[in-house]
Each structure stands twice: as structure tokens, then as C-alpha cells.
Amino acid sequence: MSTDEQKARAATIFDVARLAGVSHQTVSRVLNDLPNVRPSTKQRVENAIRQLRYRPSTAARALVTRRSRTIGLIMTGAPDFGPSSTVLGFNEAARAERYAVSMASMLESDPESVTAAAELLLRQNVEAIVLVAAHRTALEAINHLELGVPLLAVEAGVPRAAHTVSIDHYGGARAAVDHLVGLGHRAVLHIAGPAHSIDATERVRGWRDALSQHGLVAREPLFGDWSPASGYRFGLELGRSRDFTAVFVGNDQMALGVIHGLTAGGVRVPDDVSIVGFDDIPEAAHFAPPLTTMRQDFAGLGREIMASLLAILGGDDPAPRPPVVPQLVVRESTRPV
């Protein structure tokens, strides 16, 4: 086999996209002679196909041309409040646009599980795939697949997919710390979610940077597992120390546990320690005391996801949408020092 033949056999749709300077979804539209592709863009793609001697997958081409009005959705990780609410919000938005959603969920994010989920959805002739991933490994795994349909990832931090809708966890964490510092707190601890979580990583980064901007020291964060039980354990530990006046907690469930643990140790919230959570779960307003937290608009995020998908399926390469910014909700768990 000649070198040229080896290159031709090895070429993928992603190689064509890179050479042409477009997304792989645009290459798929050219391959399937779909509308809304500029003539100059189409010419670049066709030139790249000829240069690489790319041979498209027959199955992938067939999948793109079928209109099933079905979107595939992959969710990895535990069904915590945030991801589950995001999925619910998206399902409602899709239904409003008369699309069905076919879902595959899994606890693990290993490449084999993600690949199997994507292949299952593609066999159902989905028009696009949405990924709600707890870990970056899931996004890295699916980005290496030649799907033949658009992929939209819901993620935090620096986008890793061609199409992304994101939540500004970093900005939300900074707003939480700014609120506490504005109340006069100078020793603000952080109880974070799991170290491998995308969302938790961004919230840790926002907490550190906000303290640094105010000239304050960030101690090492404590890593929980999003559960009230892990927050309770940390609350008991922290109750033995009085060298802090505020805690920013990575989610509301852990914040509930922290308040319980601190109270069990004789620490009063907010008289001795102020607490801020993240998410604004329905129960947050009924904690004792009611919890100050960062509210996420999950229904709004679902509409953002669907609006982006409609643009992509309509033949556009939509401009990146600004991240959905959480909103500070001030209740009785915080007060001035």
C-alpha cells in the first residue's frame, strides 16, 4: 500500500475539518449536500476532501440525512440536583419545540461507556447529541468519535467542544466570596465538591481568585462528595476550630450538612459563622437558618441548549453564547462580622 493510500485510509472527518478550517458538522453538511453552507466554505471543504482523499462513513452520512426530530442526551455521573435539573430543563425546552429526547445515563465516564452510549443513540437516528458531563474524561472520549451528527456539550470552564453551552461556576464562586468579604469576613473557608468534578474545579478557582483579589489568603479547600453527610462531617471538624468566620460551600446539600455539624458543635450560624451555598435547591429557603446561595437558572439553561441546537441543525455555526451566570440570593445564613 502506498503512502498516499495509507493517508487516505487514515483520514477522518476531523482531519477534513481542520484542513478546511471549519467544524466537523459543516463537513457533514457538505457531504450530504445540505443547505445553508456558503459556496466558499463548501469549496474549501471539497478541496480538503480531495487533498486527503477522505472516504466518508456510509452510516454517518445516512444518519445526518434522516430527520427524526429526536435529540440524544448523554449524562454522566451521579444524578445530583444540578445535572438532573439541567436535563429536566432541556427536556422541557425540547418538548416545546416538538422534539423528543432519547437519554443515556451512566455513573462512570470511561471512554468505553461513553462510546457505547453514543453508538446506542446514533442507532436511534438522533439528529444531534447533548452531553452533560460530570468529568472531563467524558467530553474527551466523545470528542474522539466520528459521530456524523452535531455535538453540544454543557460544561464549565474553557470550552473543549465545537459547540458549548456553559454555566459560569467561576463567576458564581467569585460573587459568593465577594458577598462574604463585603460583610467584613476575612477568613473564608471553602468546602468543595469532588476534585475530579468540572463544576467543583471552577468553583474552587473562583474562590481562590476572589480571595486573592481582596488580598486575603486561601487555605487548602476541603473536598466533599456533594452529599449532606460529607458536609456534616466537615461541620463537626470545623466546629472544633474558631479561626474562621465564613464558609463558602460548593453546593446546598453539603451546606445543609455543614450547618448541622457546626450547630451540633455549639457554633451558631450566622452569629458565629456565615454560610453561602450554591444551586438554590427548593429546600434552601427552608433551612435553619434559610440559606444564602447562588441560584442557577436550570430552565433558562435548558432553553439555551435547545436554542443553540436549533441554530446548528438549521445550518448555522452559532457564535459562542455567554455563560449562564448564577444569581446571588441573600437569606439569613450570612451577616456582617
Side-chain angles (χ1 to χ4, degrees):
M1 183 184 294
S2 70
T3 302
D4 285 346
E5 289 173 332
Q6 290 174 342
K7 287 182 179 179
R9 185 164 298 220
T12 70
I13 194 170
F14 298 101
D15 298 323
V16 174
R18 278 192 292 271
L19 183 59
V22 299
S23 69
H24 69 275
Q25 288 88 354
T26 298
V27 177
S28 291
R29 290 198 293 274
V30 172
L31 289 170
N32 291 281
D33 199 25
L34 296 179
N36 299 318
V37 179
R38 295 187 186 92
S40 59
T41 301
K42 183 178 181 180
Q43 187 62 55
R44 290 207 314 274
V45 171
E46 290 174 343
N47 290 342
I49 290 170
R50 282 194 295 272
Q51 182 175 336
L52 294 173
R53 299 179 64 189
Y54 171 64
R55 296 174 183 175
S57 160
T58 303
R61 292 185 64 165
L63 286 169
V64 176
T65 59
R66 296 174 190 165
R67 298 305 302 269
S68 62
R69 295 199 72 82
T70 301
I71 304 297
L73 189 146
I74 299 174
M75 184 175 80
T76 70
D80 295 314
F81 179 79
S84 296
S85 298
T86 298
V87 168
L88 179 61
F90 171 67
N91 272 277
E92 291 297 315
R95 188 176 298 112
E97 297 291 343
R98 301 178 66 184
Y99 273 82
V101 177
S102 183
M103 182 171 169
S105 60
M106 66 205 74
L107 285 174
E108 302 301 325
S109 300
D110 59 278
E112 292 79 12
S113 297
V114 174
T115 299
E119 290 176 348
L120 173 65
L121 293 173
L122 290 173
R123 285 197 295 271
Q124 299 175 36
N125 297 336
V126 297
E127 294 185 27
I129 291 178
V130 174
L131 174 67
V132 180
H135 311 147
R136 291 206 187 280
T137 51
L139 184 54
E140 291 166 357
I142 204 167
N143 265 338
H144 286 90
L145 301 178
E146 187 171 340
L147 298 174
V149 299
L151 167 69
L152 187 146
V154 182
E155 58 173 323
V158 179
R160 306 291 183 95
H163 300 297
T164 302
V165 173
S166 61
I167 302 170
D168 192 359
H169 297 280
Y170 172 83
R174 293 197 63 143
V177 174
D178 288 345
H179 169 66
L180 291 168
V181 173
L183 294 174
H185 295 281
R186 294 294 177 267
V188 181
L189 305 185
H190 182 39
I191 297 176
H196 53 66
S197 164
I198 303 171
D199 299 352
T201 300
E202 284 299 292
R203 293 173 196 178
V204 170
R205 193 168 68 89
W207 164 74
R208 286 188 189 278
D209 286 356
L211 288 179
S212 176
Q213 185 177 36
H214 289 290
L216 302 175
V217 175
R219 305 184 197 178
E220 284 302 306
L222 302 171
F223 291 96
D225 61 8
W226 298 129
S227 72
S230 67
Y232 177 68
R233 290 192 296 272
F234 286 129
L236 288 175
E237 291 178 22
L238 294 174
R240 304 185 187 103
S241 171
R242 294 298 180 90
D243 59 350
F244 63 96
T245 63
V247 185
F248 166 47
V249 188
N251 75 338
D252 290 349
Q253 285 95 339
M254 287 196 301
L256 173 62
V258 170
I259 292 172
H260 184 192
L262 288 174
T263 302
V267 180
R268 299 168 299 169
V269 178
D271 295 358
D272 301 320
V273 174
S274 286
I275 304 289
V276 177
F278 209 105
D279 284 340
D280 195 26
I281 64 176
E283 299 84 358
H286 305 286
F287 284 11
L291 183 67
T292 295
T293 186
M294 302 303 303
R295 175 181 294 161
Q296 298 200 67
D297 181 5
F298 295 110
L301 180 61
R303 291 190 294 271
E304 289 277 340
I305 297 169
M306 196 62 211
S308 292
L309 279 180
L310 289 173
I312 296 165
L313 292 171
D316 295 334
D317 279 327
R321 291 174 176 264
V324 178
V325 181
Q327 173 191 356
L328 176 68
V329 179
V330 179
R331 298 193 180 102
E332 297 170 28
S333 66
T334 55
R335 69 171 49 169
V337 177

